[in-house]
Amino acid sequence: MAALELAAFPQPWNRAQLASELALASSLGLLARDADGVLAGYVLFRRILDEAELLRLAVSRERRRRGLATALVERGLADLRAAGCTTAFLEVRADNAPAIAFYERGGWRFAGRRSRYYPDGIDALLYRRAVVEP
């Protein structure tokens, strides 16, 4: 996961951060592997009462634009719905147009902005989605 994280994000989480998140009882992490067992993608959510936050979503360059990210997010939302969640949130870099388009196509709706949220001064856009049947 750490290698995929490094390739996917301008400010990647390190191994310790990933392990710490996955160790939480409120964490939901889903992995997708290729037929040869290589990690192709993952999604991390954190659940708090009836809400969840999509923390991380990464897909290897070779597997992008083939539906894997959508499948990971939808499976995560289904698991969260089964656990009683009704709403999910996420933050996305304001300069990440492909990710913004992906989330908007997936039913996520703009909910606000956090100015200068990221270490490099880029704003975070907040998105919300009801956790409902697809």
Side-chain angles (χ1 to χ4, degrees):
M1 281 180 72
L4 188 51
E5 179 83 11
L6 187 61
F9 295 103
Q11 283 92 33
W13 288 6
N14 60 40
R15 288 177 188 268
Q17 289 170 302
L18 290 165
S20 177
E21 182 60 38
L22 289 167
L24 297 173
S26 60
S27 182
L28 170 65
L30 300 172
L31 304 176
R33 296 189 182 278
D34 284 333
D36 58 4
V38 175
L39 183 64
Y42 67 89
V43 66
L44 291 176
F45 289 91
R46 184 181 303 150
R47 183 176 34 89
I48 301 172
L49 300 174
D50 66 344
E51 295 182 343
E53 182 178 4
L54 193 162
L55 299 172
R56 307 304 270 183
L57 173 62
V59 174
S60 68
R61 289 198 189 280
E62 301 79 29
R63 289 295 308 270
R64 289 184 186 162
R65 307 207 49 88
R66 296 185 189 174
L68 182 57
T70 299
L72 284 165
V73 170
E74 292 304 321
R75 173 62 190 272
L77 292 173
D79 289 355
L80 291 164
R81 180 176 50 255
C85 287
T86 60
T87 306
F89 296 89
L90 62 82
E91 296 158 341
V92 61
R93 290 175 60 93
D95 64 351
N96 191 343
I100 292 166
F102 168 79
Y103 291 124
E104 289 179 350
R105 280 192 312 273
W108 297 82
R109 299 293 172 241
F110 179 76
R113 176 183 294 265
R114 293 191 177 156
S115 295
R116 302 184 53 77
Y117 179 78
Y118 293 99
D120 59 2
I122 300 295
D123 291 356
L125 303 182
L126 307 174
Y127 278 79
R128 177 185 182 278
R129 179 179 161 174
V131 179
V132 296
E133 294 289 335

